[in-house]
Amino acid sequence: MIQFLLNQELRSEHALDPNLTVLNYLREHLGKSGTKEGCASGDCGACTVVVGELHTDDQGTEQIRYRSLNSCLTFVSSLHGKQLISVEDLKHQGQLHSVQQAMVECHGSQCGFCTPGFVMSLFALQKNSDAPDSQKAHEALAGNLCRCTGYRPILAAAEQACCNKPQDQFDSRQAETIARLKAIAPTQTGELNSGDKRCLVPLTVADLADLYDAYPQARLLAGGTDLALEVTQFHRTLPVMIYVGNIEEMKRIEHFDDRLEIGAAAALSDCYTALHHAYPDFGELLHRFASLQIRNQGTLGGNIGNASPIGDSPPLLIALGAQIVLCKGETRRTLALEDYFIDYRVTARQDSEFIEKIIVPKGHALFRAYKVSKRLDDDISAVCAAFNLKIDNGVIREARVAFGGMAATPKRAKSCETALVGATWNSATVEKACAALAEDFTPLSDFRASKEYRLLSAQNLLRKYFIELQTPHIETRVTAYV
């Protein structure tokens, strides 16, 4: 059984189909049709809902953290122990919520199909903002698409809703909601079981290891932003899933003098502060990683584990010399991330083995990263590049260069690195290294970019890296190209 709050209503579910998304649960099981299906792939934001969960801040204060999510990519099992808020829950005692009223007064809606998703993104923004901030508003709304109104009035609504925000029913009930969430906090492995399909929800790494050993055919579910597409886009059935999002050990982000240790189930939005502090370019890239809704769900471990050749984080982590800790039963092994990827969607992971955490070294001052995509926000890379050199007295002592989108896996450019190491850091060396990239990669052409464009982009990014290190005041890192 799983338990969660539907606004303030306690829901206990056991026999639901584990492949059921929160979107279809709301619409088909509860008759709450305000949440819309636009794309069923997490791109349009029409299905946005907000999930509240207990969170202790840096001062030790217990509060509710509200996050916007794409309900089309969220399986119901991930609600265990949390609060689900949909657009129907905002109106209170006959009065529109302040974010709804702002949308009305600022003329932020026309056909209205996308409006509930915008309203929920604005609601989450209001809950997480103390003052109007155009950058935060753009970030909060980057995952919501409107085809007819235009974004100016919606951004005006965001400013109005976040400026002098009035107390709402969620504020007045906060103590009560915290108490209710504590009361339903999971204490043992939860389960959804429809007879032919099941999803297990363990609470510890040890329990996960035992369950995965018992069900090696199970699919591990973290954020689900990739896995859910098998259900929503390809109409496949997932007979057994194990949801890892309630394992606190795998959500920790720990700081050490020489490294970061990031739990594989840590959401990308949680990883941002730590990675941005250590490597500003990594933080900037995370700002362009899909949308805020996706970053609130998607995990660093998941972005590695799905072994996509165009995942944004692996090239950066490879260039930094990151490692992963793999767990199977009571056995753990540490593997260089670059050795995890073997071929297209093929990894070194053994049966019943899972990524427990990622170890990211600190102290690489010359690390830079770049993402080439057609759109600035909410788009997949055509090419993603990461450069990490150690230069001493003008001579390159060490070089780690990695790319995504250039091969069947995220991959180091070994010939390029060989051309760099031991050479003087100048334009002639860079040109030799650019030529060597043609030995490292034979990229494919697809709808994102041609092979010629990819190779030339990779070479130009190395040239860009050289120019930026020579003249850092002109840096325009993590740039998009059209």
Side-chain angles (χ1 to χ4, degrees):
M1 180 178 71
I2 67 167
Q3 289 187 310
F4 59 93
L5 297 180
L6 180 65
N7 190 9
Q8 294 296 321
E9 176 192 351
L10 177 64
R11 302 288 299 188
S12 299
E13 302 286 1
H14 178 263
L16 284 177
D17 180 352
N19 288 197
L20 182 69
T21 63
V22 170
L23 171 67
N24 289 333
Y25 179 71
L26 287 169
R27 294 180 62 85
E28 298 173 6
H29 289 250
L30 302 180
K32 292 179 177 289
S33 56
T35 307
K36 308 299 185 186
E37 178 179 305
C39 64
S41 60
D43 288 325
C44 73
C47 70
T48 301
V49 296
V50 169
V51 168
E53 55 187 319
L54 291 176
H55 174 69
T56 302
D57 64 19
D58 294 337
Q59 287 72 45
T61 303
E62 200 166 40
Q63 54 189 235
I64 302 173
R65 180 171 60 187
Y66 295 98
R67 284 185 161 169
S68 56
L69 303 176
N70 293 118
S71 63
C72 71
L73 299 181
T74 307
F75 291 120
V76 174
S77 53
S78 67
L79 298 176
H80 193 30
K82 301 171 186 175
Q83 180 189 30
L84 172 64
I85 301 169
S86 69
V87 69
E88 288 89 351
D89 301 319
L90 298 195
K91 189 175 180 181
H92 184 59
Q93 296 180 346
Q95 298 295 316
L96 292 178
H97 191 275
S98 57
V99 297
Q100 295 172 309
Q101 192 64 41
M103 285 287 282
V104 172
E105 293 176 2
C106 295
H107 307 286
S109 178
Q110 189 166 323
C111 83
F113 187 86
C114 68
T115 302
F118 272 100
V119 165
M120 296 311 296
S121 290
L122 288 176
F123 172 73
L125 173 66
Q126 186 192 70
K127 288 299 177 192
N128 293 301
S129 301
D130 295 324
D133 183 319
S134 60
Q135 183 178 355
K136 288 183 179 178
H138 279 88
E139 179 184 22
L141 299 175
N144 294 81
L145 300 181
C146 176
R147 298 300 187 190
C148 52
T149 304
Y151 297 101
R152 186 203 57 77
I154 299 173
L155 289 168
E159 182 176 356
Q160 177 176 316
C162 294
C163 185
N164 300 319
K165 56 185 179 183
Q167 186 178 63
D168 62 14
Q169 68 269 30
F170 301 97
D171 297 322
S172 61
R173 289 176 175 170
Q174 181 169 326
E176 174 191 351
T177 305
I178 288 174
R180 298 194 70 190
L181 288 173
K182 283 183 175 180
I184 64 169
T187 58
Q188 59 185 6
T189 296
E191 181 177 3
L192 279 181
N193 192 325
S194 62
D196 59 336
K197 296 184 284 292
R198 64 191 309 197
C199 181
L200 300 155
V201 188
L203 303 180
T204 68
V205 170
D207 288 343
L208 169 59
D210 289 343
L211 288 171
Y212 207 17
D213 188 54
Y215 301 98
Q217 79 281 14
R219 304 295 297 275
L220 295 187
L221 168 66
T225 56
D226 187 64
L227 182 63
L229 296 176
E230 295 193 24
V231 174
T232 64
Q233 297 290 300
F234 299 104
H235 306 290
R236 297 171 184 157
T237 296
L238 304 176
V240 183
M241 288 186 286
I242 302 175
Y243 175 61
V244 303
N246 281 21
I247 302 175
E248 291 302 321
E249 302 159 85
M250 291 179 61
K251 295 165 72 175
R252 293 176 187 155
I253 300 173
E254 297 181 280
H255 298 259
F256 299 90
D257 290 341
D258 62 340
R259 69 193 187 280
L260 290 170
E261 294 191 2
I262 301 174
L268 291 165
S269 51
D270 290 332
C271 298
Y272 170 78
T273 300
L275 288 169
H276 181 74
H277 180 75
Y279 299 109
D281 270 35
F282 211 135
E284 290 299 319
L285 184 133
L286 284 182
H287 262 308
R288 290 184 52 206
F289 191 112
S291 63
L292 183 59
Q293 290 99 316
I294 294 294
R295 296 194 296 274
N296 285 338
Q297 288 178 270
T299 64
L300 193 60
N303 196 234
I304 294 168
N306 67 14
S308 170
I310 51 174
D312 280 346
S313 69
L316 281 64
L317 293 168
I318 289 171
L320 288 169
Q323 300 172 305
I324 55 175
V325 176
L326 294 159
C327 179
K328 179 177 181 178
E330 297 181 355
T331 302
R332 286 173 172 81
R333 63 180 176 127
T334 301
L335 185 69
L337 180 58
E338 63 192 276
D339 295 331
Y340 179 74
F341 304 106
I342 296 174
D343 203 344
Y344 179 72
R345 301 279 188 175
V346 178
T347 71
R349 187 184 67 83
Q350 301 170 3
D351 288 344
S352 299
E353 190 175 46
F354 57 91
I355 302 171
E356 183 179 2
K357 60 184 173 182
I358 301 99
I359 301 172
V360 185
K362 291 182 180 178
H364 297 284
L366 299 183
F367 171 80
R368 299 291 186 271
Y370 308 90
K371 175 176 177 175
V372 178
S373 58
K374 291 185 177 181
R375 296 195 308 264
L376 182 66
D377 293 309
D378 200 7
D379 200 5
I380 294 171
S381 299
V383 176
C384 187
F387 304 100
N388 183 18
L389 268 58
K390 182 177 180 180
I391 303 173
D392 184 18
N393 293 324
V395 177
I396 305 164
R397 303 301 181 188
E398 297 177 14
R400 295 182 69 91
V401 177
F403 286 90
M406 296 288 289
T409 65
K411 183 182 172 185
R412 284 178 70 178
K414 294 292 184 70
S415 297
C416 175
E417 292 174 357
T418 299
L420 291 169
V421 174
T424 302
W425 182 233
N426 57 31
S427 58
T429 296
V430 170
E431 289 307 312
K432 289 179 182 178
C434 285
L437 284 173
E439 302 172 22
D440 286 312
F441 300 107
T442 307
L444 297 176
S445 295
D446 59 20
F447 65 93
R448 291 188 182 90
S450 68
K451 59 183 181 181
E452 294 85 2
Y453 179 87
R454 282 191 161 102
L455 181 57
L456 181 59
S457 294
Q459 293 168 331
N460 283 341
L461 290 176
L462 178 54
R463 296 180 179 111
K464 179 180 177 67
Y465 174 65
F466 172 72
I467 293 170
E468 289 187 359
L469 290 193
Q470 301 302 106
T471 51
H473 61 282
I474 67 165
E475 288 185 9
T476 53
R477 298 184 297 219
V478 200
T479 304
Y481 295 77
V482 179

